[in-house]
Amino acid sequence: MIHGSNIPLKDARGRAHSVRFMDQDKPDANRFHVVDQYIGSNSEGDEFRPDLLLFINGLPSSARSAISN
């Protein structure tokens, strides 16, 4: 996510470049969203429910469990 991707993409002039998912030079240009009690499933159909899930520019970035003592 930080270093780009290996997705081949060409600009209008036909020059190849990598896709950048996050703008590190201008953090304010990114969109951050935190969701609580997200329900998802893996490729085998098993559900998972992290307490908090951070999305950066619409891509899931970090899942956390909130444990109380």
Side-chain angles (χ1 to χ4, degrees):
M1 183 178 218
I2 293 172
H3 301 291
S5 73
N6 291 329
I7 299 171
L9 185 67
K10 293 184 179 182
D11 63 15
R13 295 182 180 174
R15 295 178 295 194
H17 61 91
S18 64
V19 176
R20 298 284 178 201
F21 297 110
M22 194 166 101
D23 190 339
Q24 290 184 323
D25 297 327
K26 296 183 239 166
D28 292 343
N30 298 302
R31 296 186 68 190
F32 298 90
H33 186 77
V34 177
V35 177
D36 63 340
Q37 299 298 325
Y38 178 85
I39 301 172
S41 61
N42 64 17
S43 61
E44 297 173 354
D46 300 323
E47 283 190 355
F48 60 92
R49 298 173 186 227
D51 293 327
L52 299 171
L53 183 58
L54 170 65
F55 288 88
I56 301 175
N57 297 330
L59 299 171
S61 176
S62 178
R64 297 286 182 236
S65 294
I67 300 172
S68 61
N69 292 330

